[in-house]
Amino acid sequence: MVNTMDVGYASLAPMVIARSKGLPVKAIAGFIKQNDIGLLVPKDSGIASPADLKGKKIAFTAGSLEAPFIDQFLAAGKLTRNDVDLVSVDAAGKAGLYMAGRSDAAFSSGPFFLAVVASQRPSNAIRFADQGLEFPSFGLLATEKSIASKREALKRFASVVAGCWAYIFAGNQDEAVRAIIAARPQAKLNPAVLRQQIDTLKDYAYTDATRNLPFGTMAAADWKRAVAVLADGGLIEKGFDADAVFTNELIDERVVADVASGKN
C-alpha cells in the first residue's frame, strides 16, 4: 500500500504499529472509533467477564491483533493462559468451529462475528474496550507523501466517506444493505446479517471524546490512550508520539454535513 496506493481503509491500530517500524503512514479519518475486538460467548453460557473463563476452551487466531492482548484480557479476570485452553485456528474457520460448539468462546470482531453466528449460536461479546484495552478500529489512512501532494483530493474523499457513514447511522441502514449487495452480487450476502452488522457497528462508532464532533474526526485523548495500550502490549515502544499518528485536517465539516443530510 505504501508504494502503490494513495489511501487505504483498514484497522488503525496496526497502522500505528507499522508507523512505529518506519512506514510513513497516518490516520486521516476515523469511522469505527472503539476497539471492535472482543470475546464471543454463548448467551446461555453464564460467562459474563474474563473471570468466568477458567477451564474454558477458547479459539483465537495467532498473528491477529487480538493475540498480543490475550494475556492482558485474561489478567482482567485474574487468570493466565494456564487457566484456559487456548486453541489457535485460522480466521476463516473460526466462526464454523465456534458455531459447531467445538469451543466455549472465540476472540474476534464483535460486530461482524455476532451477526454471523446469531442464527446457530446466539452470543454476547465481552469487549476488549471494557477491559481497558482501548484503541480505534477502522478508518482511512494515507502516506505522508500522499497527504502532502494530494491533500485536497484526499480531503474531499475522506469527508465524503465520513458523510456516508454518518448518513447510514442516521437511520439509513437498509439503504446501505441494498448498496452493499448491489456492489457484490456474486457474494450471496445475507441482508439480515448485514443489517445486524451495521446496527452493531454503530455502537462502536463513537467515543465520549468524539460524540459531538463531525463524523470522521478523531480525538487526541483517544489516540493517547490507544498508543499507551499498544505500548503496554509490547507492540510499539513506550513514549511513542500519539499526535504523530493522526490528523483531522482532511475532514471538511461542511462536506460531511452535506453528505450526511442526504442532499448530495
Side-chain angles (χ1 to χ4, degrees):
M1 177 266 179
V2 173
N3 294 323
T4 61
M5 302 294 178
D6 293 313
V7 63
Y9 175 78
S11 180
L12 297 179
M15 179 220 66
V16 178
I17 299 169
R19 185 178 177 91
S20 74
K21 294 179 179 179
L23 293 178
V25 289
K26 179 179 288 190
I28 63 172
F31 304 137
I32 308 303
K33 300 183 187 72
Q34 295 185 39
N35 186 357
D36 64 313
I37 301 172
L39 182 71
L40 290 302
V41 299
K43 286 188 175 181
D44 59 0
S45 66
I47 301 173
S49 74
D52 301 321
L53 295 171
K54 189 168 184 177
K56 302 299 184 182
K57 186 176 183 178
I58 305 173
F60 78 105
T61 300
S64 66
L65 189 58
E66 71 212 31
F69 299 102
I70 289 176
D71 291 307
Q72 289 169 271
F73 180 84
L74 293 172
K78 299 182 179 180
L79 300 178
T80 69
R81 289 177 181 243
N82 293 329
D83 295 311
V84 298
D85 180 13
L86 286 172
V87 181
S88 180
V89 298
D90 182 82
K94 189 156 43 179
L97 181 144
Y98 176 79
M99 285 190 290
R102 293 167 57 195
S103 71
D104 298 306
F107 287 108
S108 191
S109 167
F112 292 97
F113 198 97
L114 287 173
V116 171
V117 305
S119 62
Q120 296 188 48
R121 202 176 190 190
S123 300
N124 295 320
I126 303 174
R127 295 166 34 138
F128 270 31
D130 293 337
Q131 310 306 318
L133 299 173
E134 300 173 80
F135 45 82
S137 186
F138 294 97
L140 295 178
L141 62 141
T143 63
E144 299 275 10
K145 180 180 178 180
S146 294
I147 292 172
S149 64
K150 300 181 179 181
R151 186 179 188 85
E152 290 307 310
L154 287 177
K155 186 173 184 178
R156 179 70 180 178
F157 178 78
S159 301
V160 168
V161 176
C164 287
W165 275 104
Y167 175 79
I168 291 167
F169 289 147
N172 297 293
Q173 292 93 329
D174 287 336
E175 185 177 342
V177 168
R178 292 193 295 270
I180 293 169
I181 292 174
R184 301 175 60 191
Q186 307 304 319
K188 298 181 180 180
L189 299 172
N190 184 321
V193 169
L194 285 174
R195 175 61 196 259
Q196 185 176 341
Q197 289 172 333
I198 293 171
D199 287 341
T200 308
L201 274 173
K202 184 177 180 180
D203 294 333
Y204 291 75
Y206 305 91
T207 63
D208 289 341
T210 60
R211 196 167 300 278
N212 296 317
L213 299 177
F215 200 84
T217 306
M218 298 165 283
D222 292 340
W223 273 115
K224 183 177 181 179
R225 185 162 44 249
V227 165
V229 169
L230 294 173
D232 288 343
L235 296 173
I236 61 175
E237 293 184 2
K238 291 186 180 296
F240 193 77
D241 184 4
D243 291 332
V245 305
F246 80 103
T247 178
N248 286 320
E249 294 179 359
L250 301 186
I251 294 294
D252 187 322
E253 181 176 354
R254 289 174 297 178
V255 174
V256 173
D258 284 347
V259 175
S261 70
K263 296 178 182 178
N264 291 329

